[in-house]
Amino acid sequence: MRKKLIAGNWKMNKTTSEAEILAGELMKVAGSVDYCDVVICPPFTSLDCVVGVVKDSKISVGAQDLHWEDQGAYTGKISGDMIKNLGASHVIIGHSEQRTYFHETNETVNLKTKKALAHGLIPIVCIGETLKERDAGQTEEVVHEQLEGAYKDFTKDEVLKCIVAYEPVWAIGTGKVATPEQAQDVHAYIRKILTNLFDKDLAQEQRILYGGSMKPDNAKGLLEKPDIDGGLIGGASLKAESFMGIIEATR
Ligand code: PGA
């Protein structure tokens, strides 16, 4: 039985003092939730502070990216070791905004995911098609290529430590949510890919989140689908009330 997981991707929002306030509010409403896993991913600058605020709770903390090297002359980059050392447990990898604006490729997603595991971090690996690709009937092809690329040369044990987030790019930050049926179809297809690449047991065990304009009022329909194991939430994770609304929809 896959436990549901709701992860908040704060993106480039919240100064450290604002992050401290939001994390404090979340502590009050979601700090002892045990019917689903809760992860919040603030910007790097607030990781330390947020880890401190939620430390005695059920809420876990993740980063939004990492570099695939351990250290060195990589101005502006953050290593897995640095993230782990702050007490974070998860890291988002391959988000479509990284792919679109910052040259993320399936190869760098693969390197980053390997490195995250090496540092004991749980990768949340994002995949998903653009509107152009969907309209051209290429959704399955794109998702297949991205997933195969992310897990290239991975052992089953490594894959089992990861989480996949299916995020159709056309639904991210647009208010245009995928219908539960559209999302379910792709989630089921992702399990088919995993069965082909690895095996059926692994495919059944892998947690697959949906991301893209998930809100309290549409979360239930999505989360009820058999292959949707949670959500990666952008906009609605920036307010304690809406994030909690989605957490409650997992019940
Ligand atoms: P959204 O973002 O919920 O604002 O659409 C989701 C994401 O990008 O992870």
Side-chain angles (χ1 to χ4, degrees):
M1 187 62 185
R2 300 179 301 263
K3 191 173 183 185
K4 294 263 197 288
L5 185 153
I6 299 297
N9 174 10
W10 294 4
K11 308 193 180 184
M12 197 176 74
N13 293 292
K14 309 284 176 193
T15 61
T16 300
S17 33
E18 289 164 349
E20 186 173 16
I21 293 170
L22 177 55
E25 289 169 359
L26 285 169
M27 270 293 281
K28 283 193 211 134
V29 290
S32 55
V33 163
D34 54 11
Y35 50 84
C36 84
D37 291 333
V38 178
V39 182
I40 48 178
C41 304
F44 289 131
T45 45
S46 302
L47 277 177
D48 191 27
C49 163
V50 169
V51 165
V53 174
V54 303
K55 75 174 179 309
D56 294 317
S57 80
K58 300 269 189 202
I59 302 174
S60 303
V61 180
Q64 297 174 17
D65 188 26
L66 81 164
H67 191 47
W68 60 83
E69 293 291 349
D70 285 327
Q71 60 195 38
Y74 301 103
T75 302
K77 296 297 171 209
I78 305 284
S79 74
D81 203 18
M82 293 170 185
I83 295 166
K84 183 72 182 174
N85 191 258
L86 285 175
S89 52
H90 292 65
V91 58
I92 297 171
I93 298 172
H95 190 279
S96 71
E97 286 146 19
Q98 286 286 339
R99 293 180 190 260
T100 306
Y101 307 129
F102 305 110
H103 314 292
E104 187 89 277
T105 64
N106 292 335
E107 288 71 36
T108 58
V109 170
N110 176 256
L111 293 170
K112 289 177 177 183
T113 307
K114 267 254 182 233
K115 190 53 79 173
L117 291 172
H119 287 293
L121 293 164
I122 301 171
I124 302 176
V125 180
C126 303
I127 58 175
E129 82 288 359
T130 62
L131 186 58
K132 202 165 153 217
E133 290 161 343
R134 174 163 282 261
D135 287 346
Q138 294 167 338
T139 300
E140 293 193 347
E141 191 186 320
V142 170
V143 163
H144 189 288
E145 225 175 79
Q146 291 178 341
L147 194 62
E148 195 170 25
Y151 286 161
K152 185 165 179 282
D153 297 329
F154 270 43
T155 64
K156 284 191 213 172
D157 281 351
E158 287 174 322
V159 175
L160 281 169
K161 290 187 182 124
C162 300
I163 295 163
V164 173
Y166 167 59
E167 299 205 299
V169 179
W170 47 273
I172 296 178
T174 58
K176 247 197 245 164
V177 64
T179 65
E181 291 69 31
Q182 282 174 323
Q184 165 60 28
D185 283 352
V186 181
H187 282 233
Y189 181 68
I190 291 169
R191 285 197 209 286
K192 202 163 132 193
I193 303 169
L194 291 170
T195 304
N196 292 339
L197 292 175
F198 300 96
D199 63 43
K200 198 160 183 231
D201 289 346
L202 178 147
Q204 283 309 313
E205 237 180 274
Q206 182 97 110
R207 283 202 282 190
I208 308 174
L209 315 180
Y210 166 81
S213 299
M214 198 190 265
K215 311 271 180 239
D217 62 355
N218 61 30
K220 192 126 202 125
L222 289 156
L223 293 166
E224 271 170 4
K225 290 292 177 193
D227 289 303
I228 301 182
D229 304 318
L232 181 56
I233 322 298
S237 72
L238 295 173
K239 292 224 159 67
E241 198 188 342
S242 47
F243 193 54
M244 191 58 200
I246 297 175
I247 292 170
E248 275 169 350
T250 65
R251 288 226 232 201

